[in-house]
Amino acid sequence: MMAAEPSDPEQAPLAAGNAGTLAELDALVSSCRACPRLVAWREQVAREKRAAFRDEDYWGRPVPGFGPADARILVVGLAPAAHGGNRTGRMFTGDESGNVLFAALHAVGLSTGSHPVRADDGIELIDLRVTAPVHCAPPQNKPTRDETLRCAPYLSREMELLATTLKVIVVLGAFGWQALFTVLAEGGWTIPRPRPRFGHGAQVVLTHPDGRTVTVLGCYHVSQRNTFTGMLTPAMVREVLRQAKAIADS
């Protein structure tokens, strides 16, 4: 099957492999309408809005990755938040989860700012890119398996475009861990059997037939459920990110 052209938004994931740069991939992601349930939900949220943001224009589209094209560290989350990334148009921006993540990134020298509020706030990531296996805000924050698989070509191509620099992948949560390992397996990486299980502090070193290696680190997701209950503390996030930075620098 020939890859779809970017002008066909309902088949956009099939064109991911044609993206020659991350900028091209990001533009393709932003145009995608491949999952009817997610399209309907993200646009409904953008119309109805949350009362606190009723005067704002919501992004209401898929949210692309964010960060430099030569990043050595990739952070993989779950999906954009309905009133966070789906509102602002940037991953982990405009909600409490993003505040926790960016505060930790800034503390360890991986971000120029600690409080992300909008896509044009001037914050830049340093040697690190943030993405997700699902690029649309899902109802109840739960994408289906089919939706996750349909979105997978974007993550696959994103990692291919980072291939010459990528050394570490930090995965936030079990959902992202499973989705990532599926993409890695399909990309030819040697995956241990049984497949490594997610856990906070988990560390797996993978090899590719072309000689590349990448270290995958597990971190509890920076969701309010985890941070409000104390399952995940800011210090725990900082420690994982420091470890990622040390591995990237080694």
Side-chain angles (χ1 to χ4, degrees):
M1 179 184 296
M2 293 183 63
E5 295 298 324
S7 59
D8 184 359
E10 294 183 359
Q11 300 296 324
L14 298 179
N18 293 340
T21 65
L22 282 171
E24 291 178 8
L25 182 66
D26 291 347
L28 182 65
V29 168
S30 299
S31 72
C32 187
R33 299 182 66 83
C35 299
R37 186 183 79 113
L38 298 187
V39 171
W41 173 252
R42 77 192 192 209
E43 293 181 354
Q44 177 185 335
V45 171
R47 287 192 308 270
E48 296 179 353
K49 306 181 181 181
R50 177 172 284 173
F53 309 122
R54 62 181 178 273
D55 295 328
E56 295 188 22
D57 291 329
Y58 274 53
W59 172 255
R61 296 160 60 189
V63 182
F66 169 53
D70 59 352
R72 293 184 297 167
I73 304 170
L74 183 66
V75 173
V76 177
L78 192 165
H83 302 282
N86 188 58
R87 173 174 61 88
T88 64
R90 193 176 72 189
M91 291 283 181
F92 288 105
T93 298
D95 60 14
E96 288 301 319
S97 295
N99 291 341
V100 172
L101 177 61
F102 271 76
L105 291 171
H106 186 254
V108 302
L110 293 171
S111 170
T112 62
S114 60
H115 189 66
V117 293
R118 59 184 185 273
D120 62 352
D121 58 15
I123 291 178
E124 296 181 358
L125 297 180
I126 303 169
D127 205 20
L128 177 142
R129 184 171 171 89
V130 177
T131 192
V134 175
H135 287 274
C136 289
Q140 299 179 327
N141 213 30
K142 294 180 179 179
T144 66
R145 181 176 182 274
D146 285 346
E147 289 163 350
T148 305
L149 292 175
R150 200 171 296 127
C151 207
Y154 296 132
L155 180 57
S156 177
R157 185 57 179 159
E158 194 164 15
M159 288 191 293
E160 288 175 356
L161 291 169
L162 289 168
T164 59
T165 59
L166 184 62
K167 291 188 176 182
V168 187
I169 304 174
V170 177
V171 188
L172 304 177
F175 179 92
W177 183 273
Q178 293 299 327
L180 173 71
F181 271 91
T182 296
V183 169
L184 289 170
E186 293 179 353
W189 290 86
T190 301
I191 308 298
R193 292 180 178 273
R195 181 175 290 190
R197 297 182 62 181
F198 171 76
H200 185 84
Q203 178 174 335
V204 184
V205 179
L206 303 178
T207 59
H208 193 274
D210 65 10
R212 285 178 290 151
T213 64
V214 70
T215 301
V216 182
L217 301 177
C219 178
Y220 289 144
H221 196 281
V222 289
S223 66
Q224 290 188 40
R225 180 179 62 183
N226 288 340
T227 57
F228 284 4
T229 61
M231 176 176 287
L232 180 69
T233 66
M236 291 167 66
V237 184
R238 292 194 298 270
E239 177 57 32
V240 173
L241 293 174
R242 286 194 186 100
Q243 185 180 5
K245 190 175 180 182
I247 293 170
D249 288 340
S250 63

